[in-house]
Amino acid sequence: MKTTETPAPLPAESGGPTVSKVEVPPAPRPSGQKSEGTVLNVFSHGILVIWAIMVVTPLLWAVMTSFKDDSSIFGSPWSLPDRLHFDNWARAWTDANMSDYFLNTVLVVGGSLVGTLVLGSMAAYVLARFDFPGNRVIYYLFIGGMSFPIMLALVPLFYVVNNMGLLNTIHGLILVYIAYSLPFTVFFLTAFFRTLPTSVAEAAFVDGASHTRTFFQIMLPMAKPGLISVGIFNFLGQWNQYMLPTVLNTDPDKRVLTQGLVQLAVSQGYKGDWSGLFAGLVMAMLPVLAAYIVFQRQVVAGLTAGALK
């Protein structure tokens, strides 16, 4: 008796019969679990809506008030302006010297932001990628700098800056901002650099690239989401900084926006230009909102990428 072998089925490319896959429908969820998830989603979305209203309402009210005259601000504070008073913005920009304060703030924050990102990224890359004696000690010193209250350092910081001849100077304030922002920047970017693949840097070393070239041309572009995220956080903190410039910058010609707004509010007394004050407030607020709106996707991507390893 001869046994015949059953021929193997031909592949689909040769015109042979094909075997269709049977899709198994997913098992239905229990009704109790589905209702619990619906209730949780409704609750979380409700909390987010309430939080959004609490945040957006003061901003919209400040923008609306900046286009009113003083009588409308006190007479009908919640009504829309009868017409747009653009002269409020012009008066705040020129008469209240908001243009000078804005320029000083851009110079200080721009210089400190660049210095913080460059120095912080270099320090974080070394701490994250290289093992050497004292690595963890240096890292924890940066962490300790985050927990040190700036109020305790104001008096000695004033004398140090004064002895260095940097009091009431733009570059002196830039250096203080950089030192103030470095601990958080190094902490954030160290965790981010640890998530980047080491194979890319090793391949660059094999091709003959130096450590400097590998960092600036390969690793730093890969860390762009993290740099944007920590840059936004530093921008917010430095732009809204009031304590440091009040102590270290007493020259009226070199005040920043926060000092200018406080001076504008104090100088008004009982009879003041409230419409101009709200216009100046919105001027100081717009760059922060614009920066976050433009880079909001990069901020979220940087936070999630730095949290995963």
Side-chain angles (χ1 to χ4, degrees), residues 23-141:
E23 296 183 358
V24 180
R29 292 183 178 181
S31 58
Q33 182 179 359
K34 185 176 181 181
S35 60
E36 181 180 354
T38 304
V39 173
L40 183 61
N41 289 334
V42 172
F43 178 76
S44 60
H45 283 76
I47 294 297
L48 291 177
V49 169
I50 295 174
W51 179 258
I53 293 175
M54 293 174 60
V55 172
V56 173
T57 300
L59 300 180
L60 294 180
W61 181 78
V63 174
M64 179 184 67
T65 307
S66 66
F67 291 102
K68 290 183 175 182
D69 54 3
D70 292 341
S71 59
S72 300
I73 292 175
F74 290 99
S76 54
W78 296 105
S79 64
L80 294 175
D82 53 354
R83 64 181 181 87
L84 299 180
H85 296 267
F86 289 102
D87 56 320
N88 298 338
W89 289 62
R91 193 169 58 254
W93 186 258
T94 56
D95 297 345
N97 299 323
M98 294 300 295
S99 58
D100 298 333
Y101 303 150
F102 194 91
L103 178 61
N104 293 336
T105 306
V106 170
L107 293 177
V108 172
V109 175
S112 60
L113 195 60
V114 172
T116 301
L117 292 180
V118 172
L119 296 177
S121 60
M122 295 172 66
Y125 176 74
V126 172
L127 293 174
R129 293 290 177 164
F130 297 96
D131 292 329
F132 56 90
N135 182 301
R136 305 307 296 173
V137 175
I138 298 175
Y139 176 73
Y140 285 120
L141 284 177

